[in-house]
Amino acid sequence: MTTKKPQSLLREASHQIIAGGSAGLVEICLMHPLDVVKTRFQIQRGNSDPNSYKNLTDCFRTIFRNEGISGFYKGILPPIVAETPKRAVKFFTFEQYKKALSLTPLSAGVALSVAGLGAGLTEAVVVNPFEVVKVSLQANRDAFKEQPSSFAQARRIINADGFGLRGLNKGLTSTLGRHGVFNMIYFGFYFNVKDAIPTSPDPTLEFMRKFAIGLVSGTISSCVNIPFDVAKSRIQGPQPVPGEIKYRTCFQTMALVYREEGYLALYKGLVPKIMRLGPGGAVMLLVYEYVSGWLQKNW
């Protein structure tokens, strides 16, 4: 009895690490160009910004013309490197929080959302240093060959500001808000709605059912959490005046953006974010479920 339980837990964790890492890798490779575009919109400070993009098409065209196709993959190494531990933390902790919350008087629907919130907050702590490096690289408008590598950029940030909340972990509060809110809705909506809609015996229809629910889940989550995402990009991206820190904390940044640029500025980058995390969220959950199912049957 004592040997089976650790093996069972180890196997469960291994399944979630492999399935979660696979889901993250596929989602990042497919959707990263939209993340670059989203970040560029979020860090521009209105029409007075000399680097302002007119619209989504102009942004794609300008990046391609000035930076080449590789410009759309700036900052991709940090999220790829982070995906295995990030998704492992995301899915494994979600399952563990869900198990723990099943012992409480919370309803199943609420427990799923709270488990998602906990998983998102835990994930944020792991991923934030990678986000700092990623955003600083995405904000770089030089040609791809001229910009520093991910490791050189990380070293530059550490040498200048250290590992703390002004260096490799700046914007942590915004990242906690972004991931906590997203995963609370993402997991809560997906699993509650999926259980409420009958499954289909046709594999193609069943795939489409899950994809549609994942698409709606990722879209709603993206719409709700984007003010935290804008604040995170402003804090982690280049400050308007070199040497002066204008965007310091999550809610201070939100208030400042709202006061200077209006309410809609808190939703900058929403279209590319939805284009990425709507289908991307569906792809990630489907890859996770199918890889996890295969591993359970074959390993």
Side-chain angles (χ1 to χ4, degrees):
M1 295 294 291
T2 55
T3 57
K4 286 185 180 179
K5 191 172 183 181
Q7 286 176 349
S8 177
L9 288 173
L10 179 61
R11 182 168 294 178
E12 179 185 14
S14 299
H15 287 175
Q16 289 165 1
I17 289 170
I18 295 170
S22 300
L25 181 62
V26 171
E27 191 267 342
I28 284 293
C29 291
L30 290 176
M31 302 296 175
H32 189 76
L34 290 164
D35 192 59
V36 173
V37 173
K38 179 210 71 174
T39 300
R40 291 291 179 89
F41 273 109
Q42 290 178 342
I43 61 176
Q44 68 182 26
R45 299 176 297 278
N47 295 329
S48 59
D49 190 332
N51 295 311
S52 178
Y53 299 108
K54 298 182 181 68
N55 50 49
L56 195 63
T57 304
D58 178 57
C59 184
F60 274 105
R61 187 167 50 237
T62 303
I63 292 174
F64 180 75
R65 184 174 62 245
N66 296 340
E67 304 165 49
I69 192 69
S70 55
F72 292 106
Y73 290 90
K74 286 184 173 181
I76 194 172
L77 186 57
I80 285 179
V81 172
E83 279 314 300
T84 297
K86 174 183 173 182
R87 301 310 184 194
V89 168
K90 182 192 195 76
F91 287 101
F92 182 71
T93 57
F94 172 72
E95 294 295 339
Q96 303 315 306
Y97 288 133
K98 187 172 70 174
K99 287 179 184 176
L101 289 166
S102 68
L103 304 174
T104 69
L106 291 174
S107 66
V110 173
L112 285 166
S113 295
V114 175
L117 173 62
L121 294 175
T122 309
E123 175 192 32
V125 175
V126 175
V127 78
N128 192 66
F130 297 94
E131 286 290 316
V132 172
V133 176
K134 184 197 75 170
V135 170
S136 64
L137 288 172
Q138 289 178 339
N140 188 322
R141 296 171 188 267
D142 294 332
F144 191 82
K145 292 181 179 179
E146 297 174 10
Q147 74 165 20
S149 69
S150 298
F151 295 107
Q153 186 68 9
R155 189 164 54 246
R156 183 180 298 176
I157 293 169
I158 293 168
N159 290 339
D161 300 301
F163 291 92
L165 296 178
R166 290 190 176 183
L168 205 60
N169 268 294
K170 64 182 174 181
L172 178 59
T173 306
S174 300
T175 305
L176 287 166
R178 184 182 80 156
H179 285 260
V181 170
F182 182 90
N183 285 288
M184 179 177 66
I185 299 169
Y186 183 61
F187 281 116
F189 184 92
Y190 179 78
F191 286 106
N192 278 298
V193 174
K194 192 182 77 164
D195 291 342
I197 298 176
T199 60
S200 172
D202 186 314
T204 303
L205 292 177
E206 179 61 12
F207 178 88
M208 294 305 298
R209 180 184 78 94
K210 290 181 177 179
F211 185 86
I213 298 170
L215 177 66
V216 175
S217 177
T219 300
I220 295 174
S221 303
S222 299
C223 291
V224 175
N225 85 330
I226 193 168
F228 290 99
D229 203 4
V230 171
K232 185 188 80 69
S233 294
R234 292 295 180 94
I235 294 168
Q236 295 176 347
Q239 298 289 321
V241 180
E244 295 183 15
I245 301 177
K246 180 177 183 179
Y247 305 112
R248 296 178 179 275
T249 64
C250 177
F251 293 106
Q252 174 262 346
T253 299
M254 285 186 192
L256 193 58
V257 170
Y258 171 76
R259 189 166 60 248
E260 292 184 347
E261 302 171 44
Y263 181 78
L264 291 178
L266 292 170
Y267 289 84
K268 283 185 174 181
L270 179 60
V271 173
K273 182 179 173 71
I274 289 174
M275 288 172 66
R276 181 204 166 183
L277 289 175
V283 166
M284 188 168 60
L285 279 167
L286 284 170
V287 172
Y288 176 79
E289 286 199 0
Y290 283 107
V291 172
S292 181
W294 185 89
L295 289 170
Q296 289 172 14
K297 288 180 181 178
N298 296 278
W299 182 41

